[in-house]
Amino acid sequence: VAGLCACAALPATAQQQGAAAAPPVDGNAIPEVVVTATRHTTSLLRTPVSVTAVTQDELTRKGITDVRGLSGEVPNLQLGSATDGSSGVKISIRGVSSNDFTEIGNPAVSLNVDGIYTPRPQSALALLFDLEQIEVLRGPQGTLFGRNATGGSINIIPAKPQFDSTEGHGTLTVGRYNLRQLTAAQNIPVSDNFAMRATMMAIKRDSYLNQQQDFYAADFPEFGVT
């Protein structure tokens, strides 16, 4: 599975000036976690919402490549496969979920990618890579995030393009069952007002089932099998 995306953004002059005037960071200080759970950039400790933020570093360290890997990592969040044999992902927050994965069904937990609502639960299977962070909001979020957020909301925030540097990175991961995972990202500033960021991730892994050929031949003459 592979994905490729490119995005552009306009610079925020006030934010850049504020960042330039920020005091130096103390190496012994606990870094501040910033979230956008209230549609504004606020400190996690000062946000009046039950929210958990998971950074890309945490996802990489724990080997999480899609939303299903967050199950057990975030309080009150459970994820699993659909029981009807479809490719849907059942998302449950505080026990609130939906079992209808058809075209006429609506999920009980909204999934948003960069502020855009994705209505189908199959989209939760998309790969997670080159993200700023993932925010999981618990409790009804219809006021800020609209419909289908009765149980809560999962917000996937991709990494933003940078205007001041040309940089890139790539990682290669190998593991059991012939796992091969490749991730790459490249930031390209075009001008002072335009920048692009291209990302890619590919994962291939053998099945957990035994795929070797069976050369065993049944030979039971007493049962008429030779």
Side-chain angles (χ1 to χ4, degrees):
V1 181
L4 179 64
C5 67
C7 53
L10 295 177
T13 304
Q15 293 181 355
Q16 291 179 346
Q17 292 176 352
V25 179
D26 185 1
N28 297 324
I30 298 177
E32 181 182 29
V33 179
V34 178
V35 297
T36 58
T38 58
R39 296 292 188 179
H40 296 279
T41 302
T42 58
S43 170
L44 179 61
L45 297 177
R46 299 177 181 271
T47 303
V49 179
S50 181
V51 55
T52 298
V54 183
T55 63
Q56 179 63 63
D57 290 340
E58 295 181 65
L59 297 175
T60 303
R61 186 172 64 252
K62 296 178 180 179
I64 299 176
T65 57
D66 60 49
V67 171
R68 292 175 300 178
L70 295 175
S71 186
E73 300 294 337
V74 177
N76 308 125
L77 174 65
Q78 294 83 35
L79 299 101
S81 302
T83 57
D84 58 357
S86 65
S87 59
V89 177
K90 182 178 180 181
I91 305 176
S92 175
I93 294 182
R94 292 179 175 175
V96 180
S97 63
S98 174
N99 292 321
D100 191 350
F101 299 98
T102 64
E103 292 76 8
I104 61 175
N106 292 312
V109 177
S110 67
L111 183 68
N112 304 276
V113 180
D114 204 15
I116 301 176
Y117 171 67
T118 57
R120 299 268 60 86
Q122 288 81 358
S123 58
L125 296 174
L127 296 177
L128 303 178
F129 58 97
D130 196 37
L131 303 180
E132 186 175 314
Q133 63 186 12
I134 296 179
E135 300 175 3
V136 180
L137 288 72
R138 297 179 288 277
Q141 304 295 328
T143 302
L144 295 176
F145 295 93
R147 59 181 295 189
N148 303 334
T150 306
S153 177
I154 299 178
N155 303 325
I156 301 175
I157 305 174
K160 302 296 188 297
Q162 304 297 321
F163 299 92
D164 55 355
S165 63
T166 299
E167 59 182 9
H169 64 81
T171 59
L172 175 62
T173 303
V174 295
R176 297 179 60 190
Y177 300 100
N178 202 24
L179 170 65
R180 289 155 291 174
Q181 177 178 322
L182 175 65
T183 305
Q186 179 66 45
N187 187 83
I188 306 173
V190 179
S191 66
D192 293 338
N193 299 320
F194 186 77
M196 296 187 298
R197 188 177 185 90
T199 61
M200 181 276 293
M201 185 177 191
I203 299 177
K204 188 174 182 180
R205 187 173 190 171
D206 292 343
S207 171
Y208 294 102
L209 301 178
N210 184 5
Q211 300 293 325
Q212 295 181 356
Q213 185 175 357
D214 186 2
F215 292 98
Y216 176 78
D219 185 16
F220 303 102
E222 62 273 18
F223 297 105
V225 179
T226 58

